[in-house]
Amino acid sequence: MISMNEEKAVGQVIADIRAHVPDAEIVVVDSSKDRTPQIAEEAGARVIRQFPPRGYGNAMEMALRSGKGEVIVTLDCDNTYPASQIPVLAKMILEEGWDLVDGSRLKSKPAAMPWINYIGNRFFAIIASILFWRKVTDLHSGMRAYRKTMLDALEVEPNGAALPVELLLLPIKLGYNVTTHFIEYFDRVGVSTMNPFDTCKWTAWRIWRVWVGKPGRKAV
């Protein structure tokens, strides 16, 4: 997880994770000014401070690279994603052979998602589906399972917003085994800091970057 001023939710999120996957390593990359890192540490998470903040993408890349397990599962710190689905997503990687499982919120419109966000998500998902000849439904999901060896081989651009777009489309372009698992999406705890205009701009740029760019795979 990555966090910025999520002291109202982070403790409950970590407790929910522990309830469903007691032995999981929980990594929180934190850029908060409030008590979020202290609460996360007290709840048993490994907290990596990134302060002053370097932006969403850099924090997410650090979180992805810092996990030690064979499977890396991401979710947001605001209590919007169901921790109960973590073992389901991990099993799909470990036992079914997928390299990436996208926890899509968009089987239909979630009640917790504002209409403007839903319309923007669906619009960009349609564009990406056409360009990549592959149906995708949720380019921005904060809950996914990744095979660690695949993540280690990917070369992404961490600077800027909307990194999950690249983290989904690049593996598809490179031919990894990618699938979708639909999940619930809940009302967030606290106030969102997302800038819709900035997110749209970066989403379009990342779709274009992956589509026209050379495959971003590290030499191994």
Side-chain angles (χ1 to χ4, degrees), residues 7-206:
E7 64 180 6
K8 294 181 179 179
V10 67
Q12 183 59 55
V13 173
I14 293 173
D16 289 344
I17 295 171
R18 286 283 182 231
H20 294 284
V21 275
D23 298 326
E25 176 195 33
I26 301 176
V27 178
V28 179
V29 175
D30 180 77
S31 303
S32 300
K33 293 182 179 180
D34 64 8
R35 294 189 63 252
T36 299
Q38 290 87 350
I39 294 170
E41 285 184 337
E42 290 168 3
R46 177 160 68 96
V47 176
I48 302 170
R49 289 284 282 163
Q50 191 176 83
F51 198 88
R54 295 180 56 204
Y56 177 93
N58 283 289
M60 176 57 72
E61 186 186 45
M62 180 176 285
L64 293 171
R65 306 295 187 203
S66 298
K68 300 174 183 177
E70 186 178 347
V71 178
I72 306 296
V73 178
T74 61
L75 72 163
D76 289 350
C77 259
D78 56 11
N79 212 28
T80 51
Y81 291 94
S84 62
Q85 293 303 295
I86 294 174
V88 177
L89 298 177
K91 182 178 179 181
M92 293 176 72
I93 301 288
L94 293 171
E95 299 184 13
E96 299 180 20
W98 299 103
D99 296 307
L100 191 162
V101 183
D102 185 34
S104 174
R105 303 161 293 174
L106 301 179
K107 187 174 184 178
S108 58
K109 181 193 173 299
M113 182 177 291
W115 272 103
I116 189 171
N117 293 15
Y118 175 71
I119 292 170
N121 276 320
R122 291 304 300 265
F123 171 77
F124 283 115
I126 291 169
I127 296 298
S129 297
I130 293 170
L131 291 177
F132 290 88
W133 290 84
R134 170 70 178 269
K135 184 177 181 180
V136 294
T137 59
D138 194 351
L139 293 172
H140 294 95
S141 177
M143 187 171 199
R144 291 183 186 149
Y146 302 87
R147 189 179 298 278
K148 184 67 161 58
T149 52
M150 182 200 74
L151 280 176
D152 289 342
L154 293 182
E155 207 166 305
V156 297
E157 173 52 65
N159 293 305
L163 181 59
V165 175
E166 197 165 331
L167 288 168
L168 178 62
L169 296 181
L170 185 56
I172 289 174
K173 182 173 183 177
L174 291 171
Y176 285 102
N177 295 320
V178 178
T179 191
T180 297
H181 176 72
F182 290 106
I183 61 172
E184 293 182 273
Y185 185 66
F186 308 117
D187 289 316
R188 67 170 285 125
V189 175
V191 179
S192 174
T193 58
M194 185 188 74
N195 181 320
F197 176 78
D198 194 50
T199 299
C200 286
K201 178 186 70 174
W202 279 96
T203 298
W205 181 82
R206 289 192 186 276

